[in-house]
Amino acid sequence: MVDSYTIGDLIKKGVEILEAGEYNNPLLESQLLLCHVHNVDKIYTYTHKDRLVDSQSVDKFLKLINKRKSGYPIQYILGKQEFMGLDFHVREGVLIPRPDTEILVEYIIDLVKGEYFNEKESIKIIDIGTGSGAITLSLAHYLENAHVYSIDISPTALEVARENAKRLGLESRVTFIEGDVLSPLEGLNLYNSIDIIVSNPPYIPTKDIQELQREVAEHEPKMALDGGEDGLDFYRRIVREGVKYLTDGGVLAFEIGYDQGKAVKELMLRDRGTGTMSHHNPFKDIKIIKDLAGHDRVVIGRVGRGDGEL
Ligand SMILES: C[S@@+](CC[C@H](N)C(=O)[O-])C[C@H]1O[C@@H](n2cnc3c(N)ncnc32)[C@H](O)[C@@H]1O
């Protein structure tokens, strides 16, 4: 048996429980979980504060609040996360998109719309490590002239990304491919034809994963986090294997960890890849872009003979 609660009381109860769990925004989370149980908008919780909640819903709400308190990510409970103004469905097995990643996406959107690509009629992009499709689908949504080849090694991630593409009406603008980094593109005849390679790869050094916030370490997929011993495994591979896909003037853009700017820049300067063009055209004009907290967040560089500024 559960006590009888109004919507207002129940939200308060949720806040009390969550506060004990040291979460950032107990009020918002309590409201969101109540909305989820009732299938209503947040505004409903203000306009119907005094409405009594049936005992089944109270029970369900308290179960979810306690699950959240134990460190389970709220996005997996709600089944979604907003990114670049779009709703992405997420579930266990898929990384929850982070606001920091918007910096990378916005930079690329500006680049494609700006002078550098000079109103090119169509833009081909490769996204390595699709996850929920956050980067791929935002680029496809905001850049009408783009086609994105979107790769992930995780079948769950690709399934979720495909569902998101369908919901956002972007299926025809994306080619989803399962496989390891760039290897599934071999044989697709894409050498020297890609304008931009983008990736937010796994970049946490293996030994640091256990020290991440509990929500992340215990509930998000290791496969989306583990960047090998020094965290740089994927950058090394993508720098080496990616060059041969890029056109003259093609761009490589990475999200990076807050302390990886210098190391990834060095990799792009040193590791020249294996394609023919790469021997003559290492990456240049390399920039490190900071996030709002002042940490390194994006590294971007280009190949080719031109002298365009990124
Ligand atoms: C940090 S997550 C990024 C997800 C998404 N792009 C985002 O920004 O929210 C890295 C992604 O890389 C994928 N991944 C891990 N190893 C991979 C590999 N060897 N080849 C391709 N993708 C891989 C993971 O499954 C995961 O979806």
Side-chain angles (χ1 to χ4, degrees):
M1 254 318 269
V2 275
D3 301 330
S4 67
Y5 286 99
T6 63
I7 285 184
D9 292 340
L10 202 53
I11 288 176
K12 235 196 254 165
K13 175 93 182 153
V15 171
E16 279 165 25
I17 297 174
L18 289 180
E19 264 171 357
E22 297 171 10
Y23 290 105
N24 289 343
N25 207 332
L27 176 58
L28 179 65
E29 297 204 348
S30 186
Q31 283 169 326
L32 290 175
L33 290 175
L34 192 104
C35 293
H36 180 70
V37 168
H38 269 289
N39 203 12
V40 293
D41 287 338
K42 218 168 88 186
I43 191 81
Y44 183 94
T45 65
Y46 297 119
T47 51
H48 294 76
K49 267 205 315 279
D50 298 327
R51 175 162 294 197
L52 273 178
V53 182
D54 66 274
S55 64
Q56 241 183 341
S57 301
V58 172
D59 204 21
K60 198 169 163 197
F61 172 81
L62 291 175
K63 274 204 183 101
L64 292 184
I65 282 280
N66 281 305
K67 191 167 183 181
R68 174 66 191 126
K69 187 190 166 198
S70 77
Y72 194 76
I74 189 158
Q75 294 88 343
Y76 288 155
I77 300 178
L78 301 175
K80 63 183 180 182
Q81 169 66 41
E82 185 265 353
F83 181 84
M84 291 294 296
L86 304 171
D87 256 349
F88 286 85
H89 283 198
V90 290
R91 60 172 182 260
E92 267 185 62
V94 175
L95 191 95
I96 299 161
R98 307 293 203 268
D100 283 336
T101 306
E102 295 184 344
I103 295 173
L104 173 64
V105 174
E106 279 169 5
Y107 203 91
I108 293 174
I109 292 171
D110 288 348
L111 197 65
V112 172
K113 292 194 166 168
E115 265 170 45
Y116 186 81
F117 280 103
N118 200 13
E119 294 177 24
K120 205 171 168 192
E121 217 170 283
S122 73
I123 295 280
K124 281 189 192 164
I125 299 173
I126 296 173
D127 176 19
I128 304 169
T130 314
S132 63
I135 297 176
T136 292
L137 298 172
S138 308
L139 291 175
H141 176 83
Y142 290 106
L143 297 171
E144 281 164 14
N145 56 343
H147 188 88
V148 188
Y149 296 88
S150 192
I151 304 160
D152 207 295
I153 201 163
S154 152
T156 310
L158 280 181
E159 201 180 297
V160 170
R162 282 197 173 101
E163 286 163 17
N164 281 324
K166 196 167 178 195
R167 272 188 325 98
L168 294 167
L170 294 167
E171 282 171 299
S172 65
R173 310 275 311 291
V174 180
T175 307
F176 288 110
I177 314 164
E178 188 179 320
D180 181 19
V181 184
L182 284 153
S183 57
L185 297 182
E186 296 285 341
L188 291 192
N189 235 342
L190 292 173
Y191 292 158
N192 298 320
S193 74
I194 299 295
D195 299 288
I196 300 168
I197 297 176
V198 62
S199 184
N200 172 20
Y203 58 66
I204 312 290
T206 310
K207 65 174 173 11
D208 295 348
I209 290 183
Q210 276 322 310
E211 286 152 37
L212 296 172
Q213 262 178 307
R214 195 163 134 211
E215 295 177 78
V216 183
E218 287 180 13
H219 299 289
E220 295 204 74
K222 297 265 176 311
M223 199 198 280
L225 304 170
D226 192 342
E229 200 179 331
D230 64 357
L232 302 174
D233 280 5
F234 285 90
Y235 301 113
R236 260 183 222 106
R237 286 188 61 190
I238 294 168
V239 165
R240 281 191 201 134
E241 296 169 27
V243 182
K244 60 179 180 285
Y245 288 93
L246 291 170
T247 61
D248 192 6
V251 170
L252 174 60
F254 287 126
E255 174 168 322
I256 53 163
Y258 72 98
D259 56 356
Q260 293 173 328
K262 205 165 148 240
V264 174
K265 182 174 177 176
E266 278 294 304
L267 274 179
M268 287 174 74
L269 285 171
R270 259 188 297 118
D271 274 327
R272 296 184 179 190
T274 50
T276 33
M277 201 172 131
S278 60
H279 295 296
H280 309 290
N281 299 282
F283 286 100
K284 52 188 178 187
D285 198 17
I286 299 171
K287 287 194 163 69
I288 300 174
I289 296 148
K290 291 189 187 298
D291 60 23
L292 297 174
H295 299 131
D296 294 351
R297 184 54 61 192
V298 166
V299 174
I300 185 164
R302 67 183 188 85
V303 294
R305 286 172 285 277
D307 48 13
E309 268 262 321
L310 288 177

Tab-separated table of all heavy atoms in Angstrom, residues 72 76 88-96 129-134 137 150-165 176-179 219-224:
chain	number	residue	atom	x	y	z
A	72	TYR	N	21.415	5.438	-11.837
A	72	TYR	CA	21.016	5.083	-13.205
A	72	TYR	C	20.727	6.375	-13.982
A	72	TYR	O	19.998	7.243	-13.489
A	72	TYR	CB	19.775	4.194	-13.137
A	72	TYR	CG	19.455	3.497	-14.441
A	72	TYR	CD1	20.194	2.400	-14.850
A	72	TYR	CD2	18.423	3.943	-15.253
A	72	TYR	CE1	19.906	1.758	-16.045
A	72	TYR	CE2	18.125	3.312	-16.440
A	72	TYR	CZ	18.874	2.221	-16.835
A	72	TYR	OH	18.586	1.591	-18.020
A	76	TYR	N	18.370	7.325	-19.752
A	76	TYR	CA	17.950	5.952	-20.081
A	76	TYR	C	16.546	5.681	-19.545
A	76	TYR	O	15.809	4.874	-20.113
A	76	TYR	CB	18.933	4.927	-19.513
A	76	TYR	CG	20.282	4.861	-20.207
A	76	TYR	CD1	21.406	4.394	-19.542
A	76	TYR	CD2	20.426	5.251	-21.533
A	76	TYR	CE1	22.644	4.320	-20.178
A	76	TYR	CE2	21.663	5.189	-22.181
A	76	TYR	CZ	22.763	4.718	-21.495
A	76	TYR	OH	23.984	4.647	-22.113
A	88	PHE	N	16.928	12.946	-29.441
A	88	PHE	CA	17.528	11.655	-29.774
A	88	PHE	C	17.051	10.608	-28.795
A	88	PHE	O	17.156	10.803	-27.586
A	88	PHE	CB	19.063	11.753	-29.742
A	88	PHE	CG	19.607	12.485	-30.916
A	88	PHE	CD1	19.695	13.871	-30.910
A	88	PHE	CD2	19.975	11.799	-32.061
A	88	PHE	CE1	20.160	14.552	-32.020
A	88	PHE	CE2	20.443	12.476	-33.180
A	88	PHE	CZ	20.532	13.859	-33.156
A	89	HIS	N	16.524	9.525	-29.319
A	89	HIS	CA	16.174	8.407	-28.447
A	89	HIS	C	17.465	7.705	-28.041
A	89	HIS	O	18.374	7.561	-28.855
A	89	HIS	CB	15.256	7.434	-29.172
A	89	HIS	CG	13.855	7.948	-29.253
A	89	HIS	ND1	12.783	7.150	-29.529
A	89	HIS	CD2	13.349	9.192	-29.077
A	89	HIS	CE1	11.679	7.874	-29.512
A	89	HIS	NE2	12.006	9.120	-29.259
A	90	VAL	N	17.541	7.307	-26.784
A	90	VAL	CA	18.709	6.549	-26.309
A	90	VAL	C	18.213	5.393	-25.443
A	90	VAL	O	17.111	5.443	-24.903
A	90	VAL	CB	19.678	7.409	-25.458
A	90	VAL	CG1	20.405	8.429	-26.311
A	90	VAL	CG2	18.975	8.087	-24.285
A	91	ARG	N	19.036	4.375	-25.348
A	91	ARG	CA	18.763	3.307	-24.388
A	91	ARG	C	20.084	2.675	-23.986
A	91	ARG	O	21.132	2.991	-24.576
A	91	ARG	CB	17.794	2.277	-24.962
A	91	ARG	CG	18.262	1.580	-26.227
A	91	ARG	CD	17.284	0.452	-26.559
A	91	ARG	NE	17.683	-0.283	-27.731
A	91	ARG	CZ	17.176	-0.112	-28.937
A	91	ARG	NH1	16.258	0.813	-29.156
A	91	ARG	NH2	17.591	-0.850	-29.958
A	92	GLU	N	20.038	1.792	-23.016
A	92	GLU	CA	21.270	1.144	-22.558
A	92	GLU	C	22.028	0.574	-23.745
A	92	GLU	O	21.428	0.033	-24.661
A	92	GLU	CB	20.930	0.002	-21.589
A	92	GLU	CG	20.938	0.456	-20.161
A	92	GLU	CD	20.716	-0.708	-19.208
A	92	GLU	OE1	21.540	-1.626	-19.178
A	92	GLU	OE2	19.687	-0.660	-18.499
A	93	GLY	N	23.346	0.688	-23.692
A	93	GLY	CA	24.156	0.169	-24.795
A	93	GLY	C	24.565	1.260	-25.768
A	93	GLY	O	25.360	1.030	-26.672
A	94	VAL	N	24.005	2.469	-25.577
A	94	VAL	CA	24.324	3.588	-26.477
A	94	VAL	C	24.737	4.792	-25.643
A	94	VAL	O	24.087	5.120	-24.641
A	94	VAL	CB	23.074	3.961	-27.312
A	94	VAL	CG1	23.335	5.184	-28.157
A	94	VAL	CG2	22.683	2.787	-28.182
A	95	LEU	N	25.820	5.459	-26.047
A	95	LEU	CA	26.267	6.631	-25.295
A	95	LEU	C	25.217	7.735	-25.337
A	95	LEU	O	24.620	7.999	-26.380
A	95	LEU	CB	27.580	7.166	-25.889
A	95	LEU	CG	28.235	8.216	-25.002
A	95	LEU	CD1	29.275	7.569	-24.092
A	95	LEU	CD2	28.879	9.342	-25.800
A	96	ILE	N	25.005	8.386	-24.193
A	96	ILE	CA	24.096	9.533	-24.136
A	96	ILE	C	24.831	10.741	-24.727
A	96	ILE	O	25.945	11.043	-24.297
A	96	ILE	CB	23.703	9.818	-22.662
A	96	ILE	CG1	22.979	8.594	-22.070
A	96	ILE	CG2	22.859	11.076	-22.561
A	96	ILE	CD1	22.958	8.574	-20.544
A	129	GLY	N	32.020	6.253	-35.273
A	129	GLY	CA	31.503	6.075	-33.913
A	129	GLY	C	30.182	6.812	-33.759
A	129	GLY	O	30.041	7.763	-32.995
A	130	THR	N	29.174	6.338	-34.468
A	130	THR	CA	27.862	7.001	-34.571
A	130	THR	C	27.125	7.160	-33.244
A	130	THR	O	26.486	8.176	-33.013
A	130	THR	CB	26.945	6.125	-35.466
A	130	THR	OG1	27.672	5.737	-36.598
A	130	THR	CG2	25.696	6.836	-35.828
A	131	GLY	N	27.175	6.134	-32.396
A	131	GLY	CA	26.385	6.155	-31.157
A	131	GLY	C	24.909	6.287	-31.477
A	131	GLY	O	24.365	5.577	-32.343
A	132	SER	N	24.240	7.255	-30.830
A	132	SER	CA	22.810	7.475	-31.073
A	132	SER	C	22.553	8.139	-32.425
A	132	SER	O	21.401	8.325	-32.814
A	132	SER	CB	22.251	8.386	-29.979
A	132	SER	OG	22.909	9.649	-30.061
A	133	GLY	N	23.647	8.566	-33.079
A	133	GLY	CA	23.498	9.320	-34.333
A	133	GLY	C	23.568	10.816	-34.096
A	133	GLY	O	23.284	11.607	-35.007
A	134	ALA	N	23.968	11.229	-32.893
A	134	ALA	CA	23.928	12.651	-32.525
A	134	ALA	C	24.662	13.537	-33.549
A	134	ALA	O	24.084	14.504	-34.067
A	134	ALA	CB	24.519	12.843	-31.128
A	137	LEU	N	23.339	12.837	-37.459
A	137	LEU	CA	21.991	13.298	-37.807
A	137	LEU	C	21.842	14.802	-37.646
A	137	LEU	O	21.084	15.434	-38.383
A	137	LEU	CB	20.943	12.529	-36.998
A	137	LEU	CG	20.953	11.017	-37.282
A	137	LEU	CD1	20.035	10.268	-36.319
A	137	LEU	CD2	20.530	10.733	-38.730
A	150	SER	N	28.112	6.793	-41.940
A	150	SER	CA	28.113	6.771	-40.486
A	150	SER	C	28.426	5.360	-39.984
A	150	SER	O	27.678	4.427	-40.242
A	150	SER	CB	26.718	7.213	-40.032
A	150	SER	OG	26.703	7.485	-38.677
A	151	ILE	N	29.565	5.242	-39.283
A	151	ILE	CA	30.080	3.904	-38.927
A	151	ILE	C	30.061	3.681	-37.418
A	151	ILE	O	30.428	4.572	-36.645
A	151	ILE	CB	31.548	3.777	-39.405
A	151	ILE	CG1	31.642	4.060	-40.900
A	151	ILE	CG2	32.124	2.398	-39.071
A	151	ILE	CD1	33.046	4.417	-41.340
A	152	ASP	N	29.661	2.492	-37.002
A	152	ASP	CA	29.832	2.100	-35.604
A	152	ASP	C	30.060	0.592	-35.562
A	152	ASP	O	29.533	-0.150	-36.399
A	152	ASP	CB	28.618	2.473	-34.742
A	152	ASP	CG	29.000	2.693	-33.282
A	152	ASP	OD1	29.431	1.718	-32.616
A	152	ASP	OD2	28.893	3.837	-32.790
A	153	ILE	N	30.819	0.173	-34.569
A	153	ILE	CA	31.088	-1.260	-34.432
A	153	ILE	C	29.976	-1.933	-33.617
A	153	ILE	O	29.847	-3.153	-33.616
A	153	ILE	CB	32.471	-1.487	-33.790
A	153	ILE	CG1	32.997	-2.887	-34.098
A	153	ILE	CG2	32.440	-1.203	-32.289
A	153	ILE	CD1	34.496	-3.037	-33.851
A	154	SER	N	29.159	-1.112	-32.937
A	154	SER	CA	28.113	-1.651	-32.058
A	154	SER	C	26.774	-1.767	-32.795
A	154	SER	O	26.207	-0.760	-33.225
A	154	SER	CB	27.949	-0.731	-30.840
A	154	SER	OG	26.632	-0.805	-30.336
A	155	PRO	N	26.251	-2.993	-32.937
A	155	PRO	CA	24.950	-3.149	-33.598
A	155	PRO	C	23.835	-2.409	-32.857
A	155	PRO	O	22.925	-1.870	-33.488
A	155	PRO	CB	24.701	-4.657	-33.553
A	155	PRO	CG	26.019	-5.287	-33.250
A	155	PRO	CD	26.838	-4.279	-32.523
A	156	THR	N	23.931	-2.343	-31.512
A	156	THR	CA	22.891	-1.626	-30.751
A	156	THR	C	22.900	-0.148	-31.111
A	156	THR	O	21.847	0.471	-31.326
A	156	THR	CB	23.136	-1.764	-29.229
A	156	THR	OG1	23.337	-3.137	-28.943
A	156	THR	CG2	21.990	-1.226	-28.418
A	157	ALA	N	24.118	0.431	-31.170
A	157	ALA	CA	24.209	1.849	-31.519
A	157	ALA	C	23.604	2.081	-32.900
A	157	ALA	O	22.782	2.998	-33.082
A	157	ALA	CB	25.670	2.302	-31.488
A	158	LEU	N	23.960	1.240	-33.858
A	158	LEU	CA	23.441	1.457	-35.211
A	158	LEU	C	21.924	1.302	-35.267
A	158	LEU	O	21.244	2.035	-35.992
A	158	LEU	CB	24.099	0.493	-36.195
A	158	LEU	CG	25.494	0.906	-36.655
A	158	LEU	CD1	26.048	-0.111	-37.640
A	158	LEU	CD2	25.489	2.285	-37.302
A	159	GLU	N	21.404	0.376	-34.488
A	159	GLU	CA	19.947	0.190	-34.464
A	159	GLU	C	19.262	1.472	-33.958
A	159	GLU	O	18.300	1.952	-34.555
A	159	GLU	CB	19.637	-0.982	-33.535
A	159	GLU	CG	18.301	-1.619	-33.757
A	159	GLU	CD	18.116	-2.765	-32.775
A	159	GLU	OE1	18.897	-3.742	-32.831
A	159	GLU	OE2	17.191	-2.676	-31.937
A	160	VAL	N	19.822	2.016	-32.861
A	160	VAL	CA	19.233	3.238	-32.296
A	160	VAL	C	19.406	4.408	-33.275
A	160	VAL	O	18.483	5.201	-33.495
A	160	VAL	CB	19.895	3.565	-30.927
A	160	VAL	CG1	19.493	4.934	-30.427
A	160	VAL	CG2	19.516	2.495	-29.906
A	161	ALA	N	20.600	4.519	-33.870
A	161	ALA	CA	20.852	5.619	-34.813
A	161	ALA	C	19.896	5.534	-36.006
A	161	ALA	O	19.366	6.544	-36.473
A	161	ALA	CB	22.302	5.587	-35.278
A	162	ARG	N	19.655	4.316	-36.483
A	162	ARG	CA	18.731	4.145	-37.616
A	162	ARG	C	17.306	4.566	-37.234
A	162	ARG	O	16.605	5.207	-38.009
A	162	ARG	CB	18.711	2.682	-38.087
A	162	ARG	CG	19.899	2.313	-38.919
A	162	ARG	CD	19.642	1.018	-39.706
A	162	ARG	NE	20.744	0.771	-40.627
A	162	ARG	CZ	21.726	-0.094	-40.395
A	162	ARG	NH1	21.730	-0.820	-39.301
A	162	ARG	NH2	22.706	-0.232	-41.264
A	163	GLU	N	16.912	4.194	-36.010
A	163	GLU	CA	15.569	4.609	-35.548
A	163	GLU	C	15.489	6.136	-35.481
A	163	GLU	O	14.496	6.742	-35.880
A	163	GLU	CB	15.293	4.058	-34.136
A	163	GLU	CG	14.995	2.572	-34.082
A	163	GLU	CD	15.148	1.999	-32.664
A	163	GLU	OE1	15.177	2.770	-31.667
A	163	GLU	OE2	15.261	0.765	-32.565
A	164	ASN	N	16.563	6.752	-34.957
A	164	ASN	CA	16.564	8.217	-34.862
A	164	ASN	C	16.511	8.859	-36.254
A	164	ASN	O	15.822	9.856	-36.458
A	164	ASN	CB	17.792	8.696	-34.073
A	164	ASN	CG	17.590	8.544	-32.573
A	164	ASN	OD1	16.472	8.740	-32.065
A	164	ASN	ND2	18.635	8.191	-31.849
A	165	ALA	N	17.243	8.271	-37.197
A	165	ALA	CA	17.234	8.813	-38.561
A	165	ALA	C	15.815	8.776	-39.124
A	165	ALA	O	15.344	9.718	-39.759
A	165	ALA	CB	18.173	8.010	-39.450
A	176	PHE	N	24.364	4.123	-43.103
A	176	PHE	CA	24.878	3.533	-41.868
A	176	PHE	C	25.629	2.249	-42.196
A	176	PHE	O	25.139	1.424	-42.982
A	176	PHE	CB	23.733	3.197	-40.907
A	176	PHE	CG	23.109	4.415	-40.285
A	176	PHE	CD1	21.825	4.808	-40.635
A	176	PHE	CD2	23.792	5.160	-39.332
A	176	PHE	CE1	21.238	5.932	-40.055
A	176	PHE	CE2	23.217	6.277	-38.748
A	176	PHE	CZ	21.938	6.660	-39.114
A	177	ILE	N	26.809	2.093	-41.584
A	177	ILE	CA	27.609	0.899	-41.868
A	177	ILE	C	28.211	0.369	-40.569
A	177	ILE	O	28.790	1.135	-39.788
A	177	ILE	CB	28.762	1.224	-42.847
A	177	ILE	CG1	28.240	2.061	-44.016
A	177	ILE	CG2	29.410	-0.061	-43.361
A	177	ILE	CD1	29.329	2.732	-44.796
A	178	GLU	N	28.067	-0.959	-40.379
A	178	GLU	CA	28.631	-1.567	-39.173
A	178	GLU	C	30.062	-2.011	-39.442
A	178	GLU	O	30.346	-2.614	-40.475
A	178	GLU	CB	27.774	-2.777	-38.786
A	178	GLU	CG	28.158	-3.372	-37.447
A	178	GLU	CD	27.265	-4.551	-37.090
A	178	GLU	OE1	26.041	-4.493	-37.344
A	178	GLU	OE2	27.802	-5.540	-36.561
A	179	GLY	N	30.973	-1.695	-38.500
A	179	GLY	CA	32.336	-2.178	-38.672
A	179	GLY	C	33.341	-1.397	-37.839
A	179	GLY	O	32.988	-0.496	-37.089
A	219	HIS	N	27.032	2.476	-16.131
A	219	HIS	CA	25.855	2.294	-16.981
A	219	HIS	C	26.059	2.582	-18.455
A	219	HIS	O	25.276	2.133	-19.280
A	219	HIS	CB	24.696	3.137	-16.442
A	219	HIS	CG	24.288	2.747	-15.062
A	219	HIS	ND1	23.633	1.566	-14.804
A	219	HIS	CD2	24.500	3.335	-13.866
A	219	HIS	CE1	23.417	1.466	-13.504
A	219	HIS	NE2	23.948	2.520	-12.908
A	220	GLU	N	27.075	3.350	-18.819
A	220	GLU	CA	27.254	3.630	-20.244
A	220	GLU	C	28.223	2.593	-20.829
A	220	GLU	O	29.059	2.031	-20.120
A	220	GLU	CB	27.730	5.063	-20.448
A	220	GLU	CG	26.655	6.043	-19.989
A	220	GLU	CD	26.739	7.410	-20.629
A	220	GLU	OE1	26.391	7.535	-21.813
A	220	GLU	OE2	27.168	8.346	-19.934
A	221	PRO	N	28.105	2.331	-22.129
A	221	PRO	CA	28.892	1.230	-22.707
A	221	PRO	C	30.402	1.500	-22.685
A	221	PRO	O	30.842	2.548	-23.146
A	221	PRO	CB	28.385	1.155	-24.149
A	221	PRO	CG	27.681	2.443	-24.410
A	221	PRO	CD	27.215	2.975	-23.108
A	222	LYS	N	31.160	0.563	-22.161
A	222	LYS	CA	32.637	0.691	-22.110
A	222	LYS	C	33.186	0.903	-23.514
A	222	LYS	O	34.159	1.621	-23.722
A	222	LYS	CB	33.277	-0.579	-21.542
A	222	LYS	CG	32.907	-0.901	-20.125
A	222	LYS	CD	33.919	-0.369	-19.123
A	222	LYS	CE	33.480	-0.622	-17.693
A	222	LYS	NZ	32.105	-0.248	-17.336
A	223	MET	N	32.544	0.222	-24.459
A	223	MET	CA	32.998	0.283	-25.845
A	223	MET	C	32.968	1.717	-26.390
A	223	MET	O	33.651	2.046	-27.345
A	223	MET	CB	32.047	-0.590	-26.673
A	223	MET	CG	32.561	-1.035	-27.999
A	223	MET	SD	31.187	-1.562	-28.986
A	223	MET	CE	30.932	-3.195	-28.323
A	224	ALA	N	32.142	2.563	-25.781
A	224	ALA	CA	32.042	3.944	-26.249
A	224	ALA	C	33.041	4.852	-25.546
A	224	ALA	O	33.188	6.022	-25.896
A	224	ALA	CB	30.619	4.464	-26.017
